[in-house]
């Protein structure tokens, strides 16, 4: 995989899939721009990147993707002068059905999981056209399948999948590729941040053994290499693809 000296922006780099993705890119010789709101946790990601590859350059940008998109692009260009890859990974989850989720929840999820992606992508695209770079969006199995009690989240990820495919078609003439990964349940902070306590989370992980064909949930180091693959020249003929990394979850169907 050739990612040597590529400049890669990863949003949501302070935790979970984003943090692991930064380390994986650093290991493969890329210069990582790590974006998130939690400064201490971003610094942890920075230390892990440096440990993974002493030569890789690392830029930490404390930013809220719903507000600070211009800052993310400006600081990256100021530091590196180019952008090769954008990984739109920052995302939030909340539970709720049409009966009990309110419009504030819907707006907040759409704001982070979709609107921010539109805004940042729009600003980064001119740089990707110059570099013939690419985008990897971090969607979810919830984009391609429908689940009860995660309405706003499922809608946001389904919309993100359509965004991935439409932008892939629009950018193909410029040799800019756009793909997504669609993970199943992966152990990170996202479920607890959405309100699950330790007990509920443990139960959910146990239950998830039966909802993933491989009989287990995933870990972040099973997602990060797939993101790096899609971002690399090894995936040079792949665009508009939604890559399920879900232990077979999206292939399952009640029977
Ligand atoms: P985590 O909660 O562990 O990490 C989420 C990251 O998103 C954090 O780094 C957080 O950073 C960042 N983030 C959230 N809101 C903002 C914001 N407004 N501005 C900047 N950064 C923000 O969850 P995951 O690693 O699991 O989630 C990463 C992606 O993976 C999400 O898009 C999620 O939907 C997707 N996904 C996760 C699955 C799972 O089971 N874990 C399954 C399928 C998809 P900070 O708090 O510092 O701002």
């Amino acid at each position: 995989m050739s990612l040597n000296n590529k400049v890669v922006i990863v949003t949501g780099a302070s935790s979970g899939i984003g943090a692991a993705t930064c380390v994986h890119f650093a290991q493969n010789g890329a210069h990582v721009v790590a974006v998130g709101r939690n400064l201490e946790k971003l610094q942890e990601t920075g230390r892990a990147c440096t440990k993974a590859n002493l030569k890789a350059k690392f830029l930490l940008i404390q930013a809220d993707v719903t507000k600070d998109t211009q800052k993310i692009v400006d600081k990256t260009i100021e530091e590196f002068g180019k952008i090769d890859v954008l990984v739109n990974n920052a995302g939030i989850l909340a539970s709720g059905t049409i009966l009990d989720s309110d419009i504030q929840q819907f707006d907040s999820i759409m704001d982070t999981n979709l609107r921010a992606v539109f805004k940042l992508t729009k600003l980064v695209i001119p740089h990707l056209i110059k570099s013939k770079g690419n985008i990897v969006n971090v969607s979810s199995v919830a984009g391609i399948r429908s689940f009860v009690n995660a309405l706003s989240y499922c809608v946001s990820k389904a919309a993100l999948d359509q965004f991935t495919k439409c932008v892939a078609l629009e950018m193909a003439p410029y040799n800019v590729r756009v793909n997504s990964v669609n993970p199943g349940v992966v152990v990170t902070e996202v479920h607890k941040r959405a309100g699950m306590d330790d007990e509920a989370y443990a139960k959910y992980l146990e239950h998830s053994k039966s909802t993933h064909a491989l009989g287990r949930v995933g870990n972040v180091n099973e997602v990060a290499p797939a993101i790096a693959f899609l971002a690399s020249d090894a995936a040079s003929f792949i665009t508009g693809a939604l890559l399920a990394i879900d232990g077979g979850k999206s292939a399952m169907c009640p029977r």
Side-chain angles (χ1 to χ4, degrees):
M1 258 187 330
S2 169
L3 289 163
N4 238 7
N5 296 319
K6 299 285 184 196
V7 175
V8 181
I9 298 177
V10 180
T11 67
S14 54
S15 178
I17 293 170
T21 299
C22 290
V23 174
H24 202 79
F25 273 107
Q27 266 165 356
N28 284 282
H31 303 312
V32 175
V33 180
V35 178
R37 294 166 300 187
N38 185 321
L39 189 57
E40 266 179 34
K41 294 204 67 192
L42 273 183
Q43 284 163 341
E44 258 177 50
T45 303
R47 284 191 289 275
C49 286
T50 310
K51 205 171 152 196
N53 181 356
L54 282 176
K55 283 188 200 149
K57 290 182 194 149
F58 178 78
L59 173 67
L60 173 167
I61 303 179
Q62 187 178 26
D64 182 331
V65 290
T66 66
K67 299 186 186 121
D68 305 321
T69 43
Q70 188 68 55
K71 171 179 165 181
I72 296 166
V73 177
D74 289 349
K75 282 196 164 288
T76 304
I77 293 300
E78 196 182 298
E79 179 75 14
F80 294 113
K82 65 164 185 168
I83 303 170
D84 296 294
V85 178
L86 170 62
V87 181
N88 282 309
N89 165 74
I92 55 171
L93 169 72
S95 58
T97 68
I98 190 64
L99 291 174
D100 54 27
S101 43
D102 55 25
I103 195 67
Q104 283 77 18
Q105 181 205 84
F106 181 81
D107 284 346
S108 142
I109 288 201
M110 294 302 273
D111 207 15
T112 305
N113 294 6
L114 188 66
R115 198 169 182 276
V117 172
F118 181 98
K119 280 170 72 184
L120 187 57
T121 300
K122 199 166 166 57
L123 291 174
V124 169
I125 278 286
H127 300 281
L128 296 181
I129 289 173
K130 273 191 217 155
S131 63
K132 296 192 173 23
N134 69 82
I135 298 172
V136 183
N137 293 323
V138 180
S139 180
S140 168
V141 63
I144 44 187
R145 301 302 297 251
S146 308
F147 300 102
V148 170
N149 203 33
L151 176 63
S152 304
Y153 184 73
C154 287
V155 169
S156 75
K157 293 299 190 180
L160 179 61
D161 288 346
Q162 193 61 260
F163 181 80
T164 295
K165 291 187 280 185
C166 289
V167 180
L169 296 183
E170 291 166 1
M171 288 302 110
Y174 299 94
N175 273 313
V176 172
R177 300 182 298 105
V178 187
N179 294 294
S180 79
V181 292
N182 294 57
V185 175
V186 175
V187 178
T188 67
E189 295 303 310
V190 77
H191 298 96
K192 289 190 185 166
R193 286 193 211 220
M196 276 190 200
D197 61 19
D198 287 347
E199 196 188 336
Y201 189 52
K203 268 191 192 160
Y204 179 66
L205 293 184
E206 190 56 33
H207 167 72
S208 295
K209 290 181 182 169
S210 66
T211 59
H212 292 66
L214 289 180
R216 63 175 180 85
V217 297
N219 70 68
V220 292
N221 290 317
E222 294 176 301
V223 181
I227 294 174
F229 161 71
L230 286 174
S232 76
D233 291 344
S236 56
F237 201 48
I238 302 179
T239 197
L242 313 179
L243 178 59
I245 306 172
D246 64 358
K249 185 173 185 178
S250 59
M252 292 172 77
C253 188
R255 191 165 179 240

Short mmCIF file of all heavy atoms in Angstrom, two decimals, residues 12-17 36-38 63-66 89-92 112 138-140 153 157 183-186 188-191 193, ligand 1:
data_model
loop_
_atom_site.label_atom_id
_atom_site.label_comp_id
_atom_site.label_asym_id
_atom_site.label_seq_id
_atom_site.Cartn_x
_atom_site.Cartn_y
_atom_site.Cartn_z
N GLY A 12 -12.70 13.07 13.81
CA GLY A 12 -13.02 12.12 14.88
C GLY A 12 -11.82 11.27 15.23
O GLY A 12 -11.92 10.07 15.47
N ALA A 13 -10.66 11.94 15.29
CA ALA A 13 -9.39 11.23 15.48
C ALA A 13 -9.04 11.03 16.95
O ALA A 13 -8.01 10.44 17.26
CB ALA A 13 -8.27 12.02 14.78
N SER A 14 -9.89 11.52 17.83
CA SER A 14 -9.56 11.46 19.26
C SER A 14 -10.06 10.19 19.93
O SER A 14 -9.87 10.02 21.12
CB SER A 14 -10.18 12.69 19.95
OG SER A 14 -11.57 12.74 19.66
N SER A 15 -10.67 9.29 19.17
CA SER A 15 -11.28 8.12 19.80
C SER A 15 -11.54 7.03 18.76
O SER A 15 -11.56 7.30 17.55
CB SER A 15 -12.61 8.56 20.43
OG SER A 15 -13.29 7.48 21.02
N GLY A 16 -11.69 5.82 19.23
CA GLY A 16 -12.24 4.72 18.44
C GLY A 16 -11.63 4.49 17.06
O GLY A 16 -10.40 4.43 16.89
N ILE A 17 -12.50 4.39 16.07
CA ILE A 17 -12.09 4.06 14.71
C ILE A 17 -11.14 5.14 14.15
O ILE A 17 -10.14 4.83 13.49
CB ILE A 17 -13.34 3.90 13.80
CG1 ILE A 17 -14.14 2.66 14.23
CG2 ILE A 17 -12.95 3.81 12.32
CD1 ILE A 17 -15.52 2.53 13.59
N GLY A 36 -10.44 16.72 16.09
CA GLY A 36 -11.42 16.34 17.11
C GLY A 36 -11.56 17.48 18.10
O GLY A 36 -10.83 18.47 18.03
N ARG A 37 -12.51 17.33 19.03
CA ARG A 37 -12.71 18.41 20.01
C ARG A 37 -11.91 18.19 21.28
O ARG A 37 -11.49 19.13 21.93
CB ARG A 37 -14.20 18.53 20.36
CG ARG A 37 -15.07 18.99 19.20
CD ARG A 37 -16.52 18.78 19.48
NE ARG A 37 -16.82 17.36 19.73
CZ ARG A 37 -18.03 16.85 19.88
NH1 ARG A 37 -19.08 17.64 19.81
NH2 ARG A 37 -18.20 15.56 20.08
N ASN A 38 -11.70 16.94 21.65
CA ASN A 38 -11.04 16.62 22.92
C ASN A 38 -9.52 16.65 22.75
O ASN A 38 -8.91 15.71 22.21
CB ASN A 38 -11.52 15.24 23.39
CG ASN A 38 -10.99 14.89 24.75
OD1 ASN A 38 -9.84 15.18 25.08
ND2 ASN A 38 -11.82 14.26 25.56
N ALA A 63 -10.99 20.95 16.71
CA ALA A 63 -12.05 21.58 15.92
C ALA A 63 -13.34 20.78 16.03
O ALA A 63 -13.32 19.57 16.19
CB ALA A 63 -11.63 21.65 14.45
N ASP A 64 -14.43 21.51 15.91
CA ASP A 64 -15.76 20.90 15.86
C ASP A 64 -16.16 20.82 14.38
O ASP A 64 -16.21 21.87 13.71
CB ASP A 64 -16.73 21.80 16.66
CG ASP A 64 -18.15 21.23 16.70
OD1 ASP A 64 -18.55 20.51 15.77
OD2 ASP A 64 -18.85 21.52 17.69
N VAL A 65 -16.41 19.64 13.88
CA VAL A 65 -16.68 19.51 12.44
C VAL A 65 -17.96 20.22 12.01
O VAL A 65 -18.14 20.53 10.83
CB VAL A 65 -16.74 18.03 11.96
CG1 VAL A 65 -15.38 17.39 11.99
CG2 VAL A 65 -17.77 17.23 12.73
N THR A 66 -18.84 20.49 12.97
CA THR A 66 -20.08 21.18 12.60
C THR A 66 -19.86 22.69 12.45
O THR A 66 -20.72 23.39 11.92
CB THR A 66 -21.22 20.94 13.62
OG1 THR A 66 -20.85 21.55 14.87
CG2 THR A 66 -21.49 19.46 13.82
N ASN A 89 -14.86 10.72 9.33
CA ASN A 89 -15.16 9.66 10.31
C ASN A 89 -15.97 10.14 11.51
O ASN A 89 -16.73 9.36 12.09
CB ASN A 89 -13.83 9.06 10.78
CG ASN A 89 -14.00 8.23 12.04
OD1 ASN A 89 -14.51 7.11 11.99
ND2 ASN A 89 -13.60 8.76 13.18
N ALA A 90 -15.84 11.42 11.87
CA ALA A 90 -16.54 11.91 13.08
C ALA A 90 -18.02 11.60 12.97
O ALA A 90 -18.65 11.82 11.93
CB ALA A 90 -16.33 13.42 13.23
N GLY A 91 -18.58 11.07 14.04
CA GLY A 91 -20.00 10.74 13.99
C GLY A 91 -20.56 10.53 15.37
O GLY A 91 -19.83 10.26 16.33
N ILE A 92 -21.87 10.70 15.48
CA ILE A 92 -22.55 10.47 16.76
C ILE A 92 -23.76 9.56 16.54
O ILE A 92 -24.28 9.45 15.42
CB ILE A 92 -23.00 11.79 17.43
CG1 ILE A 92 -23.86 12.64 16.48
CG2 ILE A 92 -21.80 12.58 17.92
CD1 ILE A 92 -24.51 13.85 17.15
N THR A 112 -23.94 16.54 12.46
CA THR A 112 -22.60 15.95 12.58
C THR A 112 -22.35 14.90 11.49
O THR A 112 -21.30 14.91 10.84
CB THR A 112 -22.44 15.27 13.96
OG1 THR A 112 -22.72 16.23 14.98
CG2 THR A 112 -21.02 14.73 14.15
N VAL A 138 -16.87 7.27 6.70
CA VAL A 138 -17.16 6.18 7.63
C VAL A 138 -18.67 6.19 7.88
O VAL A 138 -19.21 7.01 8.60
CB VAL A 138 -16.36 6.30 8.93
CG1 VAL A 138 -16.71 5.14 9.87
CG2 VAL A 138 -14.86 6.29 8.61
N SER A 139 -19.33 5.26 7.19
CA SER A 139 -20.77 5.12 7.32
C SER A 139 -21.06 4.01 8.33
O SER A 139 -20.38 3.93 9.37
CB SER A 139 -21.37 4.82 5.94
OG SER A 139 -22.76 4.68 6.03
N SER A 140 -21.99 3.14 8.05
CA SER A 140 -22.37 2.10 9.02
C SER A 140 -23.22 1.06 8.31
O SER A 140 -23.82 1.32 7.26
CB SER A 140 -23.20 2.75 10.13
OG SER A 140 -23.82 1.77 10.93
N TYR A 153 -30.13 8.06 13.29
CA TYR A 153 -28.80 7.56 12.91
C TYR A 153 -28.87 6.81 11.57
O TYR A 153 -28.06 7.05 10.67
CB TYR A 153 -28.29 6.64 14.02
CG TYR A 153 -26.88 6.13 13.82
CD1 TYR A 153 -25.78 6.96 13.98
CD2 TYR A 153 -26.64 4.79 13.46
CE1 TYR A 153 -24.49 6.49 13.80
CE2 TYR A 153 -25.36 4.32 13.29
CZ TYR A 153 -24.28 5.17 13.46
OH TYR A 153 -23.00 4.70 13.28
N LYS A 157 -26.95 7.86 8.05
CA LYS A 157 -25.94 7.03 7.38
C LYS A 157 -26.41 6.60 5.97
O LYS A 157 -25.60 6.46 5.06
CB LYS A 157 -25.61 5.81 8.24
CG LYS A 157 -24.89 6.16 9.55
CD LYS A 157 -23.54 6.87 9.33
CE LYS A 157 -22.72 6.99 10.61
NZ LYS A 157 -21.44 7.65 10.43
N PRO A 183 -19.15 -0.17 8.83
CA PRO A 183 -18.88 -1.16 9.88
C PRO A 183 -20.15 -1.67 10.56
O PRO A 183 -21.16 -0.97 10.64
CB PRO A 183 -18.04 -0.38 10.90
CG PRO A 183 -17.59 0.86 10.20
CD PRO A 183 -18.64 1.17 9.19
N GLY A 184 -20.06 -2.90 11.07
CA GLY A 184 -21.05 -3.42 12.01
C GLY A 184 -20.66 -2.93 13.40
O GLY A 184 -19.98 -1.90 13.54
N VAL A 185 -21.08 -3.65 14.42
CA VAL A 185 -20.77 -3.19 15.78
C VAL A 185 -19.27 -3.35 16.06
O VAL A 185 -18.71 -4.44 15.90
CB VAL A 185 -21.61 -3.95 16.83
CG1 VAL A 185 -21.18 -3.54 18.24
CG2 VAL A 185 -23.09 -3.68 16.62
N VAL A 186 -18.66 -2.24 16.45
CA VAL A 186 -17.23 -2.19 16.73
C VAL A 186 -17.07 -1.59 18.13
O VAL A 186 -17.74 -0.60 18.44
CB VAL A 186 -16.52 -1.29 15.68
CG1 VAL A 186 -15.05 -1.12 16.01
CG2 VAL A 186 -16.70 -1.87 14.28
N THR A 188 -16.04 0.72 20.65
CA THR A 188 -15.50 2.09 20.78
C THR A 188 -16.30 2.79 21.87
O THR A 188 -17.01 2.15 22.63
CB THR A 188 -15.66 2.89 19.46
OG1 THR A 188 -17.05 3.11 19.23
CG2 THR A 188 -15.04 2.20 18.25
N GLU A 189 -16.24 4.10 21.86
CA GLU A 189 -17.00 4.88 22.86
C GLU A 189 -18.40 5.23 22.38
O GLU A 189 -19.20 5.78 23.14
CB GLU A 189 -16.25 6.19 23.16
CG GLU A 189 -14.90 6.00 23.83
CD GLU A 189 -15.03 5.22 25.12
OE1 GLU A 189 -15.88 5.58 25.95
OE2 GLU A 189 -14.28 4.24 25.29
N VAL A 190 -18.71 4.96 21.10
CA VAL A 190 -19.90 5.58 20.51
C VAL A 190 -21.21 5.19 21.20
O VAL A 190 -22.10 6.03 21.37
CB VAL A 190 -19.96 5.30 18.98
CG1 VAL A 190 -20.41 3.89 18.65
CG2 VAL A 190 -20.81 6.33 18.26
N HIS A 191 -21.33 3.94 21.63
CA HIS A 191 -22.59 3.51 22.24
C HIS A 191 -22.77 4.10 23.64
O HIS A 191 -23.86 4.50 24.02
CB HIS A 191 -22.67 1.97 22.28
CG HIS A 191 -22.64 1.36 20.92
ND1 HIS A 191 -21.48 0.90 20.34
CD2 HIS A 191 -23.62 1.17 20.02
CE1 HIS A 191 -21.75 0.44 19.13
NE2 HIS A 191 -23.04 0.59 18.90
N ARG A 193 -21.42 6.90 24.65
CA ARG A 193 -21.71 8.32 24.46
C ARG A 193 -23.18 8.54 24.10
O ARG A 193 -23.74 9.59 24.33
CB ARG A 193 -20.87 8.90 23.32
CG ARG A 193 -19.41 9.09 23.66
CD ARG A 193 -18.83 9.93 22.57
NE ARG A 193 -17.45 9.64 22.34
CZ ARG A 193 -16.55 10.59 22.09
NH1 ARG A 193 -16.91 11.85 22.03
NH2 ARG A 193 -15.32 10.27 21.87
P1 LIG B 1 -16.27 7.23 19.14
O1 LIG B 1 -17.39 7.81 19.93
O2 LIG B 1 -15.29 6.38 19.85
O3 LIG B 1 -15.53 8.35 18.31
C1 LIG B 1 -16.27 9.35 17.67
C2 LIG B 1 -15.31 10.45 17.22
O4 LIG B 1 -16.07 11.46 16.55
C3 LIG B 1 -14.59 11.09 18.38
O5 LIG B 1 -13.23 11.24 18.04
C4 LIG B 1 -15.26 12.46 18.50
O6 LIG B 1 -14.29 13.41 18.89
C5 LIG B 1 -15.66 12.72 17.06
N1 LIG B 1 -16.70 13.71 16.94
C6 LIG B 1 -18.02 13.61 17.23
N2 LIG B 1 -18.64 14.76 17.03
C7 LIG B 1 -17.70 15.64 16.60
C8 LIG B 1 -17.72 16.99 16.22
N3 LIG B 1 -18.85 17.73 16.24
N4 LIG B 1 -16.57 17.57 15.82
C9 LIG B 1 -15.41 16.87 15.80
N5 LIG B 1 -15.34 15.58 16.14
C10 LIG B 1 -16.47 14.98 16.54
O7 LIG B 1 -17.01 6.38 18.02
P2 LIG B 1 -16.52 5.48 16.79
O8 LIG B 1 -15.07 5.46 16.66
O9 LIG B 1 -17.28 4.23 16.88
O10 LIG B 1 -17.18 6.31 15.59
C11 LIG B 1 -16.49 6.69 14.42
C12 LIG B 1 -17.43 6.56 13.24
O11 LIG B 1 -17.74 5.18 13.06
C13 LIG B 1 -18.77 7.27 13.41
O12 LIG B 1 -19.10 7.94 12.21
C14 LIG B 1 -19.75 6.14 13.68
O13 LIG B 1 -21.05 6.45 13.26
C15 LIG B 1 -19.12 5.03 12.85
N6 LIG B 1 -19.54 3.69 13.19
C16 LIG B 1 -19.25 3.16 14.42
C17 LIG B 1 -19.67 1.88 14.73
C18 LIG B 1 -19.40 1.25 16.05
O14 LIG B 1 -20.03 0.21 16.38
N7 LIG B 1 -18.47 1.75 16.84
C19 LIG B 1 -20.45 1.07 13.78
C20 LIG B 1 -20.67 1.72 12.51
C21 LIG B 1 -20.23 2.98 12.25
P3 LIG B 1 -14.42 14.52 20.04
O15 LIG B 1 -15.33 14.00 21.09
O16 LIG B 1 -13.01 14.77 20.46
O17 LIG B 1 -14.97 15.69 19.32
#
